[in-house]
Amino acid sequence: MFCWDDLRTFLAVARTGSTLGGGRLLKVSQTTAARRIAALEQALGLVLFERRQAGYTLTSDGEALLDRAIEVERAATTFDDTAAAQSRDVRGVVRLTTSELYAVTVLAPILRDLHDAYPAIELELDTTDQMRDLATGSADVAVRGSKDPQGAGLVGRCIGGDPWTLYCSRSYADQHGVPRNRHALQGHAIIGGGGETVWPAYHAWLRANGLDAAVTVRHSSPTGLLSAVRAGAGLAVLPQLIGESDPDLIRCLPPMTEHAINLWVLTHERVRHAPRVRAVADFMYERLKQLMQQVSATLPAIGGASPQPA
């Protein structure tokens, strides 16, 4: 069985009269074009071209297959055009819920690209640290950090582990250094808070390490932690996906695996097959998975996955 790239090369060489011209047409090397012609001839058991000093000339077998190859090319082009039209025709309102911390960092460029890919989708972004009930329709898609998301009819895909740990800014490191173990944290300014979803576990960790007195300010949200760290005010906990994606931040300690979570793209079975919802969920998953893989060397493997696969 031949591959489509070989057939495209056959058409390009037939149209230009040489592997050099065919390669230029397809933006591949002459060697690659010649190799693909040889592979196609071997797959078909036919000699398609006469190799002459002046170039490549179709044999009688090549001439007989040329019109059929053009038909295949037209069919492939129609297929691509139809798929692109269907992508453009995906339309409607999709409610996406996520935390403000993810929305203003790693999701911002992804949402821009989502609009470019699906301009007819109107996205309603709900930025909150509170878990929305997807079963009641309060949101269609959720991007959430959670140990084990629960809910009747909840479906989703786990992107990977996204544990929290301490970060400082490069400006802070230049003035105060980077603490590389828990003992070295003594004497450094700690930014506390993060809201009710973050502060209880964070506070417990600080108390366990005798760092309560090092807290200089408490913020009411995770976004406040991020802004304070970026400003060089001290150290604070952040998700590693966000911290490792920010070139101005430096990770101080290994991840806090005792408080590890996974990052999920979630939806509900009642809307999971709606084209607009599926398009958003798939796009978010693929882009976040790609980003997670880029920093996977720093992320521990974390198990646990109750929702059904999306």
Side-chain angles (χ1 to χ4, degrees), residues 218-285:
R218 294 182 185 178
H219 284 269
S220 62
S221 70
T223 311
L225 297 179
L226 176 61
S227 63
V229 172
R230 283 176 169 171
L235 285 62
V237 292
L238 295 168
Q240 275 202 343
L241 183 62
I242 291 172
E244 299 299 317
S245 301
D246 191 325
D248 291 330
L249 299 184
I250 298 175
R251 176 165 50 90
C252 300
L253 300 182
M256 299 175 180
T257 53
E258 64 269 31
H259 303 299
I261 61 172
N262 292 314
L263 187 62
W264 293 81
V265 174
L266 303 165
T267 186
H268 193 269
E269 60 183 8
R270 65 179 179 79
V271 295
R272 63 183 295 194
H273 296 301
R276 69 188 192 286
V277 174
R278 189 74 192 194
V280 171
D282 288 348
F283 195 92
M284 300 300 293
Y285 175 81

Side-chain angles (χ1 to χ4, degrees), residues 90-301:
V90 174
R91 63 181 63 249
V93 176
V94 176
R95 295 176 295 276
L96 172 67
T97 182
T98 189
S99 71
E100 185 179 12
L101 184 61
Y102 284 113
V104 301
T105 55
V106 295
L107 290 189
I110 296 177
L111 296 177
R112 174 202 63 207
D113 295 344
L114 174 65
H115 173 71
D116 291 342
Y118 298 100
I121 289 179
E122 180 183 346
L123 200 65
E124 291 184 356
L125 189 60
D126 173 33
T127 54
T128 176
D129 291 331
Q130 302 299 317
M131 295 294 291
R132 297 304 191 197
D133 187 358
L134 301 186
T136 63
S138 57
D140 300 310
V141 179
V143 175
R144 288 290 179 196
S146 175
K147 287 187 177 181
D148 190 13
Q150 301 286 337
L154 198 64
V155 293
R157 285 175 287 182
C158 179
I159 295 166
D162 193 20
W164 292 57
T165 193
L166 283 174
Y167 284 87
C168 69
S169 69
R170 295 192 179 276
S171 62
Y172 180 92
D174 290 341
Q175 295 184 44
H176 307 284
V178 180
R180 291 303 187 185
N181 56 61
R182 296 186 181 188
H183 177 73
L185 292 174
Q186 300 296 333
H188 284 274
I190 302 294
I191 305 160
E196 62 183 22
T197 61
V198 175
W199 181 233
Y202 183 19
H203 193 201
W205 184 87
L206 292 173
R207 285 199 309 267
N209 288 276
L211 296 170
D212 250 355
V215 175
T216 60
V217 63
R218 294 182 185 178
H219 284 269
S220 62
S221 70
T223 311
L225 297 179
L226 176 61
S227 63
V229 172
R230 283 176 169 171
L235 285 62
V237 292
L238 295 168
Q240 275 202 343
L241 183 62
I242 291 172
E244 299 299 317
S245 301
D246 191 325
D248 291 330
L249 299 184
I250 298 175
R251 176 165 50 90
C252 300
L253 300 182
M256 299 175 180
T257 53
E258 64 269 31
H259 303 299
I261 61 172
N262 292 314
L263 187 62
W264 293 81
V265 174
L266 303 165
T267 186
H268 193 269
E269 60 183 8
R270 65 179 179 79
V271 295
R272 63 183 295 194
H273 296 301
R276 69 188 192 286
V277 174
R278 189 74 192 194
V280 171
D282 288 348
F283 195 92
M284 300 300 293
Y285 175 81
E286 294 299 333
R287 286 294 301 273
L288 285 169
K289 189 70 174 179
Q290 182 182 26
L291 181 60
M292 183 72 79
Q293 289 171 347
Q294 293 173 3
V295 299
S296 61
T298 67
L299 295 174

Side-chain angles (χ1 to χ4, degrees), residues 1-7 9-10 31-49 51 56:
M1 185 66 180
F2 62 87
C3 76
W4 169 231
D5 283 338
D6 294 345
L7 191 60
T9 305
F10 166 71
T31 301
T32 298
R35 177 176 53 79
R36 287 178 176 172
I37 291 298
L40 181 61
E41 290 180 328
Q42 183 177 7
L44 298 176
L46 298 171
V47 177
L48 302 175
F49 292 97
R51 279 74 166 169
Y56 276 46

